[in-house]
Short mmCIF file of all heavy atoms in Angstrom, two decimals:
data_model
loop_
_atom_site.label_atom_id
_atom_site.label_comp_id
_atom_site.label_asym_id
_atom_site.label_seq_id
_atom_site.Cartn_x
_atom_site.Cartn_y
_atom_site.Cartn_z
N MET A 16 103.24 98.23 86.04
CA MET A 16 103.01 98.64 84.69
C MET A 16 102.82 100.14 84.69
O MET A 16 102.36 100.72 85.66
CB MET A 16 101.76 97.96 84.14
CG MET A 16 101.58 98.20 82.67
SD MET A 16 100.33 97.13 82.00
CE MET A 16 99.23 98.36 81.37
N CYS A 17 103.17 100.75 83.58
CA CYS A 17 103.08 102.19 83.44
C CYS A 17 102.41 102.48 82.11
O CYS A 17 102.74 101.87 81.10
CB CYS A 17 104.49 102.77 83.47
SG CYS A 17 104.58 104.52 83.18
N TYR A 18 101.43 103.39 82.13
CA TYR A 18 100.86 103.81 80.85
C TYR A 18 100.63 105.31 80.88
O TYR A 18 100.47 105.91 81.93
CB TYR A 18 99.58 103.04 80.50
CG TYR A 18 98.46 103.13 81.50
CD1 TYR A 18 97.50 104.13 81.41
CD2 TYR A 18 98.37 102.22 82.54
CE1 TYR A 18 96.47 104.21 82.33
CE2 TYR A 18 97.33 102.29 83.46
CZ TYR A 18 96.39 103.30 83.34
OH TYR A 18 95.38 103.38 84.25
N SER A 19 100.69 105.93 79.69
CA SER A 19 100.65 107.37 79.60
C SER A 19 99.73 107.84 78.49
O SER A 19 99.56 107.15 77.49
CB SER A 19 102.05 107.92 79.30
OG SER A 19 102.96 107.57 80.29
N VAL A 20 99.18 109.04 78.70
CA VAL A 20 98.40 109.73 77.68
C VAL A 20 98.82 111.20 77.74
O VAL A 20 98.48 111.90 78.70
CB VAL A 20 96.89 109.60 77.93
CG1 VAL A 20 96.10 110.34 76.87
CG2 VAL A 20 96.48 108.15 78.02
N VAL A 21 99.56 111.65 76.79
CA VAL A 21 100.06 113.01 76.62
C VAL A 21 100.69 113.57 77.90
O VAL A 21 101.90 113.52 78.04
CB VAL A 21 98.98 113.96 76.06
CG1 VAL A 21 99.60 115.32 75.73
CG2 VAL A 21 98.33 113.38 74.83
N VAL A 22 99.93 114.12 78.83
CA VAL A 22 100.51 114.70 80.05
C VAL A 22 100.15 113.92 81.30
O VAL A 22 100.46 114.34 82.40
CB VAL A 22 100.10 116.18 80.23
CG1 VAL A 22 100.68 117.04 79.15
CG2 VAL A 22 98.60 116.30 80.29
N LEU A 23 99.51 112.78 81.15
CA LEU A 23 99.10 111.96 82.29
C LEU A 23 99.85 110.63 82.25
O LEU A 23 99.81 109.93 81.24
CB LEU A 23 97.59 111.69 82.23
CG LEU A 23 97.05 110.70 83.27
CD1 LEU A 23 97.09 111.33 84.65
CD2 LEU A 23 95.66 110.27 82.91
N THR A 24 100.54 110.31 83.33
CA THR A 24 101.24 109.04 83.44
C THR A 24 100.72 108.33 84.68
O THR A 24 100.67 108.91 85.75
CB THR A 24 102.75 109.23 83.54
OG1 THR A 24 103.20 109.91 82.36
CG2 THR A 24 103.48 107.90 83.67
N VAL A 25 100.36 107.06 84.53
CA VAL A 25 99.81 106.27 85.63
C VAL A 25 100.69 105.06 85.87
O VAL A 25 101.02 104.32 84.95
CB VAL A 25 98.37 105.81 85.29
CG1 VAL A 25 97.81 104.96 86.42
CG2 VAL A 25 97.48 107.00 85.01
N ARG A 26 101.08 104.88 87.13
CA ARG A 26 101.80 103.65 87.51
C ARG A 26 100.80 102.76 88.19
O ARG A 26 100.05 103.18 89.07
CB ARG A 26 102.95 103.97 88.46
CG ARG A 26 104.03 104.73 87.80
CD ARG A 26 105.25 104.93 88.65
NE ARG A 26 104.99 104.91 90.08
CZ ARG A 26 105.93 104.69 90.98
NH1 ARG A 26 107.16 104.52 90.62
NH2 ARG A 26 105.63 104.68 92.26
N TRP A 27 100.80 101.49 87.83
CA TRP A 27 99.81 100.55 88.31
C TRP A 27 100.52 99.27 88.74
O TRP A 27 101.38 98.76 88.03
CB TRP A 27 98.82 100.27 87.18
CG TRP A 27 97.86 99.19 87.43
CD1 TRP A 27 96.79 99.21 88.26
CD2 TRP A 27 97.87 97.90 86.83
NE1 TRP A 27 96.13 98.02 88.21
CE2 TRP A 27 96.78 97.19 87.32
CE3 TRP A 27 98.70 97.27 85.90
CZ2 TRP A 27 96.50 95.89 86.95
CZ3 TRP A 27 98.43 95.98 85.53
CH2 TRP A 27 97.32 95.32 86.06
N ARG A 28 100.17 98.75 89.91
CA ARG A 28 100.72 97.47 90.38
C ARG A 28 99.69 96.38 90.15
O ARG A 28 98.52 96.54 90.46
CB ARG A 28 101.02 97.52 91.87
CG ARG A 28 102.30 98.20 92.15
CD ARG A 28 102.73 97.90 93.57
NE ARG A 28 103.91 98.70 93.83
CZ ARG A 28 104.37 98.94 95.02
NH1 ARG A 28 103.76 98.45 96.07
NH2 ARG A 28 105.43 99.66 95.17
N SER A 29 100.16 95.27 89.63
CA SER A 29 99.26 94.14 89.44
C SER A 29 99.02 93.45 90.78
O SER A 29 99.68 93.75 91.77
CB SER A 29 99.89 93.13 88.46
OG SER A 29 101.01 92.51 89.05
N ALA A 30 98.12 92.52 90.78
CA ALA A 30 97.89 91.72 91.97
C ALA A 30 99.14 90.88 92.25
O ALA A 30 99.93 90.59 91.34
CB ALA A 30 96.68 90.82 91.77
N ALA A 31 99.32 90.48 93.47
CA ALA A 31 100.46 89.65 93.83
C ALA A 31 100.33 88.28 93.18
O ALA A 31 99.24 87.72 93.11
CB ALA A 31 100.55 89.51 95.33
N HIS A 32 101.45 87.76 92.70
CA HIS A 32 101.50 86.42 92.10
C HIS A 32 102.43 85.56 92.93
O HIS A 32 103.55 85.97 93.24
CB HIS A 32 102.02 86.48 90.66
CG HIS A 32 101.14 87.24 89.73
ND1 HIS A 32 100.02 86.70 89.16
CD2 HIS A 32 101.21 88.51 89.27
CE1 HIS A 32 99.44 87.58 88.39
NE2 HIS A 32 100.16 88.70 88.44
N ASP A 33 101.97 84.38 93.31
CA ASP A 33 102.81 83.45 94.05
C ASP A 33 103.59 82.61 93.04
O ASP A 33 103.00 81.85 92.28
CB ASP A 33 101.94 82.56 94.94
CG ASP A 33 102.77 81.75 95.90
OD1 ASP A 33 103.93 82.13 96.15
OD2 ASP A 33 102.26 80.74 96.40
N THR A 34 104.89 82.79 93.01
CA THR A 34 105.73 82.07 92.06
C THR A 34 106.72 81.18 92.78
O THR A 34 107.09 81.44 93.92
CB THR A 34 106.50 83.06 91.16
OG1 THR A 34 107.29 83.89 91.99
CG2 THR A 34 105.55 83.90 90.34
N GLY A 35 107.15 80.15 92.10
CA GLY A 35 108.05 79.19 92.71
C GLY A 35 109.51 79.42 92.38
O GLY A 35 110.39 78.92 93.06
N SER A 36 109.79 80.18 91.32
CA SER A 36 111.19 80.34 90.93
C SER A 36 111.40 81.71 90.30
O SER A 36 110.46 82.41 89.94
CB SER A 36 111.57 79.27 89.90
OG SER A 36 110.91 79.51 88.68
N ALA A 37 112.66 82.07 90.14
CA ALA A 37 113.01 83.34 89.50
C ALA A 37 112.59 83.34 88.04
O ALA A 37 112.22 84.37 87.49
CB ALA A 37 114.50 83.59 89.64
N TRP A 38 112.65 82.19 87.38
CA TRP A 38 112.25 82.10 85.97
C TRP A 38 110.76 82.37 85.81
O TRP A 38 110.33 83.00 84.84
CB TRP A 38 112.60 80.74 85.39
CG TRP A 38 114.07 80.57 85.23
CD1 TRP A 38 114.88 79.76 85.96
CD2 TRP A 38 114.92 81.28 84.32
NE1 TRP A 38 116.18 79.90 85.55
CE2 TRP A 38 116.23 80.82 84.54
CE3 TRP A 38 114.70 82.24 83.35
CZ2 TRP A 38 117.31 81.31 83.82
CZ3 TRP A 38 115.78 82.72 82.63
CH2 TRP A 38 117.07 82.27 82.86
N GLU A 39 109.97 81.92 86.75
CA GLU A 39 108.53 82.19 86.71
C GLU A 39 108.26 83.68 86.89
O GLU A 39 107.43 84.26 86.19
CB GLU A 39 107.84 81.41 87.84
CG GLU A 39 106.71 80.54 87.37
CD GLU A 39 106.09 79.81 88.55
OE1 GLU A 39 106.81 79.17 89.32
OE2 GLU A 39 104.85 79.92 88.66
N ARG A 40 108.99 84.32 87.82
CA ARG A 40 108.83 85.76 88.02
C ARG A 40 109.25 86.52 86.78
O ARG A 40 108.60 87.49 86.39
CB ARG A 40 109.66 86.22 89.23
CG ARG A 40 109.05 85.83 90.55
CD ARG A 40 109.74 86.49 91.72
NE ARG A 40 111.14 86.16 91.86
CZ ARG A 40 111.60 85.06 92.45
NH1 ARG A 40 110.76 84.18 92.95
NH2 ARG A 40 112.88 84.83 92.54
N LEU A 41 110.33 86.08 86.15
CA LEU A 41 110.79 86.74 84.93
C LEU A 41 109.76 86.60 83.81
O LEU A 41 109.47 87.56 83.09
CB LEU A 41 112.14 86.17 84.48
CG LEU A 41 112.73 86.80 83.22
CD1 LEU A 41 113.02 88.27 83.45
CD2 LEU A 41 113.99 86.06 82.82
N GLY A 42 109.17 85.42 83.68
CA GLY A 42 108.15 85.20 82.66
C GLY A 42 106.96 86.11 82.84
O GLY A 42 106.43 86.67 81.88
N LEU A 43 106.51 86.28 84.08
CA LEU A 43 105.40 87.19 84.35
C LEU A 43 105.83 88.64 84.14
O LEU A 43 105.08 89.45 83.58
CB LEU A 43 104.91 87.02 85.79
CG LEU A 43 104.12 85.76 86.09
CD1 LEU A 43 103.93 85.60 87.58
CD2 LEU A 43 102.79 85.78 85.38
N GLY A 44 107.03 88.96 84.56
CA GLY A 44 107.52 90.33 84.46
C GLY A 44 107.71 90.79 83.03
O GLY A 44 107.51 91.98 82.73
N ILE A 45 108.08 89.89 82.14
CA ILE A 45 108.30 90.27 80.74
C ILE A 45 107.00 90.79 80.13
O ILE A 45 107.02 91.78 79.39
CB ILE A 45 108.88 89.09 79.94
CG1 ILE A 45 110.36 88.93 80.29
CG2 ILE A 45 108.71 89.31 78.45
CD1 ILE A 45 111.02 87.74 79.67
N ARG A 46 105.89 90.16 80.43
CA ARG A 46 104.61 90.62 79.88
C ARG A 46 104.30 92.05 80.31
O ARG A 46 103.93 92.89 79.50
CB ARG A 46 103.48 89.70 80.33
CG ARG A 46 103.53 88.35 79.69
CD ARG A 46 102.33 87.55 80.12
NE ARG A 46 102.85 86.29 80.64
CZ ARG A 46 102.19 85.46 81.38
NH1 ARG A 46 100.96 85.74 81.74
NH2 ARG A 46 102.72 84.34 81.79
N TYR A 47 104.47 92.32 81.59
CA TYR A 47 104.20 93.66 82.09
C TYR A 47 105.24 94.67 81.58
O TYR A 47 104.91 95.83 81.32
CB TYR A 47 104.16 93.67 83.62
CG TYR A 47 102.94 92.99 84.18
CD1 TYR A 47 103.02 91.76 84.83
CD2 TYR A 47 101.69 93.57 84.04
CE1 TYR A 47 101.90 91.14 85.33
CE2 TYR A 47 100.55 92.95 84.54
CZ TYR A 47 100.67 91.74 85.19
OH TYR A 47 99.55 91.13 85.69
N ALA A 48 106.48 94.23 81.44
CA ALA A 48 107.51 95.13 80.92
C ALA A 48 107.22 95.52 79.48
O ALA A 48 107.36 96.69 79.11
CB ALA A 48 108.88 94.45 81.03
N LEU A 49 106.81 94.57 78.66
CA LEU A 49 106.48 94.88 77.27
C LEU A 49 105.28 95.82 77.17
O LEU A 49 105.27 96.75 76.36
CB LEU A 49 106.21 93.59 76.48
CG LEU A 49 107.43 92.71 76.24
CD1 LEU A 49 107.02 91.41 75.57
CD2 LEU A 49 108.47 93.45 75.41
N ALA A 50 104.28 95.60 78.02
CA ALA A 50 103.13 96.50 78.03
C ALA A 50 103.55 97.91 78.44
O ALA A 50 103.11 98.90 77.85
CB ALA A 50 102.05 95.96 78.96
N SER A 51 104.43 98.01 79.42
CA SER A 51 104.91 99.32 79.86
C SER A 51 105.71 100.01 78.76
O SER A 51 105.57 101.22 78.55
CB SER A 51 105.78 99.19 81.11
OG SER A 51 105.01 98.78 82.20
N LEU A 52 106.54 99.26 78.05
CA LEU A 52 107.32 99.85 76.97
C LEU A 52 106.43 100.35 75.84
O LEU A 52 106.73 101.36 75.21
CB LEU A 52 108.32 98.82 76.42
CG LEU A 52 109.54 98.57 77.30
CD1 LEU A 52 110.34 97.40 76.77
CD2 LEU A 52 110.40 99.82 77.40
N ALA A 53 105.34 99.65 75.59
CA ALA A 53 104.44 100.06 74.51
C ALA A 53 103.56 101.24 74.91
O ALA A 53 103.27 102.11 74.09
CB ALA A 53 103.56 98.87 74.09
N LEU A 54 103.13 101.29 76.17
CA LEU A 54 102.14 102.28 76.59
C LEU A 54 102.68 103.39 77.49
O LEU A 54 102.00 104.40 77.67
CB LEU A 54 101.00 101.57 77.34
CG LEU A 54 100.27 100.48 76.57
CD1 LEU A 54 99.30 99.76 77.49
CD2 LEU A 54 99.56 101.06 75.37
N GLY A 55 103.87 103.22 78.03
CA GLY A 55 104.34 104.13 79.07
C GLY A 55 105.06 105.40 78.69
O GLY A 55 104.83 106.44 79.30
N PRO A 56 105.93 105.41 77.69
CA PRO A 56 106.79 106.58 77.51
C PRO A 56 106.13 107.79 76.85
O PRO A 56 106.80 108.78 76.59
CB PRO A 56 107.93 106.05 76.66
CG PRO A 56 107.38 104.90 75.93
CD PRO A 56 106.34 104.31 76.84
N TRP A 57 104.85 107.77 76.59
CA TRP A 57 104.22 108.82 75.80
C TRP A 57 103.81 110.05 76.61
O TRP A 57 103.52 111.09 76.05
CB TRP A 57 103.02 108.25 75.05
CG TRP A 57 103.40 107.01 74.34
CD1 TRP A 57 102.94 105.75 74.59
CD2 TRP A 57 104.37 106.87 73.30
NE1 TRP A 57 103.56 104.84 73.76
CE2 TRP A 57 104.44 105.51 72.96
CE3 TRP A 57 105.19 107.76 72.63
CZ2 TRP A 57 105.30 105.03 71.98
CZ3 TRP A 57 106.05 107.27 71.65
CH2 TRP A 57 106.09 105.92 71.34
N GLY A 58 103.75 109.96 77.91
CA GLY A 58 103.37 111.10 78.73
C GLY A 58 104.59 111.90 79.15
O GLY A 58 105.56 111.34 79.65
N LEU A 59 104.57 113.18 78.95
CA LEU A 59 105.71 114.01 79.31
C LEU A 59 105.35 114.84 80.53
O LEU A 59 104.24 115.32 80.63
CB LEU A 59 106.09 114.92 78.14
CG LEU A 59 106.58 114.17 76.92
CD1 LEU A 59 106.82 115.15 75.79
CD2 LEU A 59 107.85 113.40 77.22
N PRO A 60 106.25 115.02 81.45
CA PRO A 60 107.64 114.62 81.47
C PRO A 60 107.90 113.28 82.16
O PRO A 60 108.98 112.71 82.04
CB PRO A 60 108.28 115.74 82.28
CG PRO A 60 107.24 116.09 83.30
CD PRO A 60 105.93 115.93 82.55
N TRP A 61 106.92 112.72 82.90
CA TRP A 61 107.18 111.56 83.74
C TRP A 61 107.07 110.22 83.03
O TRP A 61 107.53 109.21 83.55
CB TRP A 61 106.26 111.57 84.96
CG TRP A 61 106.60 112.70 85.86
CD1 TRP A 61 105.91 113.87 86.00
CD2 TRP A 61 107.74 112.80 86.70
NE1 TRP A 61 106.55 114.68 86.89
CE2 TRP A 61 107.68 114.05 87.34
CE3 TRP A 61 108.81 111.96 86.98
CZ2 TRP A 61 108.65 114.48 88.23
CZ3 TRP A 61 109.76 112.37 87.87
CH2 TRP A 61 109.69 113.61 88.49
N GLY A 62 106.47 110.17 81.87
CA GLY A 62 106.28 108.91 81.16
C GLY A 62 107.56 108.11 80.95
O GLY A 62 107.65 106.94 81.34
N PRO A 63 108.59 108.72 80.33
CA PRO A 63 109.83 107.96 80.13
C PRO A 63 110.51 107.53 81.42
O PRO A 63 111.05 106.43 81.52
CB PRO A 63 110.73 108.94 79.35
CG PRO A 63 109.79 109.90 78.72
CD PRO A 63 108.62 110.01 79.66
N ILE A 64 110.45 108.38 82.43
CA ILE A 64 111.10 108.07 83.71
C ILE A 64 110.41 106.89 84.39
O ILE A 64 111.05 105.91 84.79
CB ILE A 64 111.10 109.31 84.62
CG1 ILE A 64 111.94 110.41 83.98
CG2 ILE A 64 111.58 108.96 86.02
CD1 ILE A 64 111.75 111.78 84.59
N TRP A 65 109.08 106.96 84.54
CA TRP A 65 108.35 105.89 85.23
C TRP A 65 108.32 104.61 84.40
O TRP A 65 108.22 103.52 84.97
CB TRP A 65 106.93 106.34 85.59
CG TRP A 65 106.90 107.34 86.69
CD1 TRP A 65 106.29 108.54 86.67
CD2 TRP A 65 107.52 107.23 87.98
NE1 TRP A 65 106.49 109.20 87.87
CE2 TRP A 65 107.24 108.41 88.69
CE3 TRP A 65 108.28 106.25 88.60
CZ2 TRP A 65 107.69 108.63 89.98
CZ3 TRP A 65 108.73 106.47 89.90
CH2 TRP A 65 108.43 107.65 90.57
N THR A 66 108.44 104.73 83.08
CA THR A 66 108.51 103.53 82.24
C THR A 66 109.78 102.75 82.55
O THR A 66 109.75 101.53 82.71
CB THR A 66 108.44 103.90 80.75
OG1 THR A 66 107.19 104.55 80.49
CG2 THR A 66 108.57 102.66 79.88
N VAL A 67 110.90 103.44 82.64
CA VAL A 67 112.17 102.78 82.97
C VAL A 67 112.09 102.12 84.34
O VAL A 67 112.52 100.97 84.51
CB VAL A 67 113.34 103.79 82.90
CG1 VAL A 67 114.62 103.19 83.46
CG2 VAL A 67 113.55 104.25 81.48
N VAL A 68 111.51 102.81 85.32
CA VAL A 68 111.37 102.24 86.66
C VAL A 68 110.48 101.00 86.62
O VAL A 68 110.80 99.97 87.24
CB VAL A 68 110.80 103.30 87.64
CG1 VAL A 68 110.45 102.67 88.97
CG2 VAL A 68 111.79 104.44 87.82
N ALA A 69 109.36 101.07 85.91
CA ALA A 69 108.43 99.94 85.83
C ALA A 69 109.08 98.73 85.15
O ALA A 69 108.95 97.60 85.62
CB ALA A 69 107.17 100.34 85.09
N VAL A 70 109.80 98.96 84.05
CA VAL A 70 110.45 97.85 83.35
C VAL A 70 111.52 97.22 84.24
O VAL A 70 111.61 96.00 84.34
CB VAL A 70 111.05 98.33 82.01
CG1 VAL A 70 111.97 97.29 81.40
CG2 VAL A 70 109.93 98.70 81.05
N TRP A 71 112.31 98.04 84.92
CA TRP A 71 113.34 97.51 85.82
C TRP A 71 112.70 96.67 86.93
O TRP A 71 113.15 95.57 87.23
CB TRP A 71 114.15 98.65 86.42
CG TRP A 71 115.15 98.16 87.42
CD1 TRP A 71 115.05 98.19 88.77
CD2 TRP A 71 116.40 97.53 87.13
NE1 TRP A 71 116.16 97.62 89.35
CE2 TRP A 71 117.00 97.21 88.36
CE3 TRP A 71 117.06 97.21 85.95
CZ2 TRP A 71 118.23 96.59 88.44
CZ3 TRP A 71 118.29 96.59 86.05
CH2 TRP A 71 118.86 96.28 87.27
N THR A 72 111.65 97.18 87.53
CA THR A 72 110.96 96.45 88.60
C THR A 72 110.41 95.13 88.09
O THR A 72 110.55 94.09 88.74
CB THR A 72 109.82 97.30 89.18
OG1 THR A 72 110.37 98.52 89.68
CG2 THR A 72 109.10 96.57 90.30
N ASN A 73 109.80 95.14 86.92
CA ASN A 73 109.23 93.92 86.35
C ASN A 73 110.28 92.88 86.02
O ASN A 73 110.06 91.69 86.22
CB ASN A 73 108.42 94.25 85.10
CG ASN A 73 107.17 95.02 85.40
OD1 ASN A 73 106.58 94.87 86.46
ND2 ASN A 73 106.75 95.86 84.48
N LEU A 74 111.41 93.30 85.51
CA LEU A 74 112.44 92.35 85.09
C LEU A 74 113.33 91.87 86.24
O LEU A 74 114.06 90.91 86.09
CB LEU A 74 113.29 92.94 83.98
CG LEU A 74 112.54 93.22 82.68
CD1 LEU A 74 113.48 93.80 81.65
CD2 LEU A 74 111.87 91.96 82.15
N THR A 75 113.24 92.52 87.39
CA THR A 75 114.04 92.08 88.54
C THR A 75 113.21 91.38 89.60
O THR A 75 113.67 91.21 90.73
CB THR A 75 114.80 93.27 89.17
OG1 THR A 75 113.86 94.27 89.55
CG2 THR A 75 115.82 93.84 88.21
N GLY A 76 111.99 90.99 89.27
CA GLY A 76 111.20 90.18 90.19
C GLY A 76 110.13 90.91 90.96
O GLY A 76 109.53 90.33 91.86
N GLY A 77 109.90 92.17 90.66
CA GLY A 77 108.83 92.90 91.34
C GLY A 77 109.28 93.48 92.65
O GLY A 77 110.46 93.57 92.94
N VAL A 78 108.31 93.90 93.43
CA VAL A 78 108.61 94.50 94.74
C VAL A 78 108.57 93.41 95.80
O VAL A 78 107.87 92.42 95.66
CB VAL A 78 107.60 95.62 95.08
CG1 VAL A 78 107.74 96.77 94.12
CG2 VAL A 78 106.19 95.11 95.09
N PRO A 79 109.31 93.57 96.88
CA PRO A 79 109.29 92.59 97.96
C PRO A 79 107.90 92.47 98.57
O PRO A 79 107.12 93.42 98.53
CB PRO A 79 110.29 93.12 98.99
CG PRO A 79 111.03 94.21 98.32
CD PRO A 79 110.23 94.67 97.15
N ASP A 80 107.62 91.34 99.15
CA ASP A 80 106.34 91.11 99.81
C ASP A 80 106.17 92.07 100.97
O ASP A 80 106.99 92.11 101.88
CB ASP A 80 106.25 89.66 100.28
CG ASP A 80 104.90 89.31 100.85
OD1 ASP A 80 103.94 90.09 100.64
OD2 ASP A 80 104.79 88.27 101.50
N GLN A 81 105.11 92.87 100.95
CA GLN A 81 104.88 93.87 101.98
C GLN A 81 104.04 93.36 103.14
O GLN A 81 103.88 94.02 104.14
CB GLN A 81 104.19 95.09 101.36
CG GLN A 81 105.01 95.77 100.29
CD GLN A 81 106.30 96.36 100.82
OE1 GLN A 81 106.34 96.89 101.92
NE2 GLN A 81 107.37 96.26 100.07
N SER A 82 103.45 92.17 103.00
CA SER A 82 102.60 91.63 104.06
C SER A 82 103.44 90.75 104.98
O SER A 82 103.74 89.62 104.69
CB SER A 82 101.44 90.84 103.47
OG SER A 82 101.94 89.76 102.71
N ALA A 83 103.81 91.31 106.10
CA ALA A 83 104.64 90.57 107.05
C ALA A 83 103.74 89.72 107.93
O ALA A 83 102.88 90.22 108.64
CB ALA A 83 105.46 91.54 107.89
N ASP A 84 103.96 88.43 107.88
CA ASP A 84 103.21 87.50 108.74
C ASP A 84 103.99 87.30 110.02
O ASP A 84 105.03 86.68 110.06
CB ASP A 84 103.01 86.16 108.04
CG ASP A 84 102.10 86.28 106.83
OD1 ASP A 84 101.28 87.20 106.82
OD2 ASP A 84 102.24 85.46 105.94
N ASP A 85 103.52 87.87 111.10
CA ASP A 85 104.23 87.76 112.38
C ASP A 85 103.89 86.50 113.10
O ASP A 85 102.86 86.03 113.25
CB ASP A 85 103.92 88.98 113.26
CG ASP A 85 104.48 90.24 112.63
OD1 ASP A 85 105.56 90.16 112.02
OD2 ASP A 85 103.83 91.30 112.75
#
């Protein structure tokens, strides 16, 4: 998620969610994407840029799992 206030833009990652299907990931991602679209593009210059990145990440299933279980 991304939110902005005039010249401050903050990118925030939610907690990891264990999902069973791509549709479940999309359902969760839509909520965060809508929040980013509403709150993100207002900070200049990085607000619009990071908002697009956050929405893309949310709608494509998030980031890969970083915890490698060896």
Side-chain angles (χ1 to χ4, degrees):
M16 188 168 122
C17 175
Y18 59 90
S19 301
V20 179
V21 187
V22 294
L23 173 71
T24 300
V25 178
R26 292 187 334 161
W27 172 73
R28 280 195 186 163
S29 69
H32 296 279
D33 190 20
T34 59
S36 69
W38 290 109
E39 234 180 308
R40 285 190 299 278
L41 181 63
L43 287 169
I45 285 175
R46 290 184 233 163
Y47 289 109
L49 291 174
S51 292
L52 285 172
L54 302 173
W57 310 114
L59 295 175
W61 292 104
I64 296 166
W65 288 127
T66 299
V67 170
V68 171
V70 169
W71 176 259
T72 301
N73 291 330
L74 295 180
T75 57
V78 295
D80 186 14
Q81 299 296 322
S82 61
D84 293 334
D85 294 324

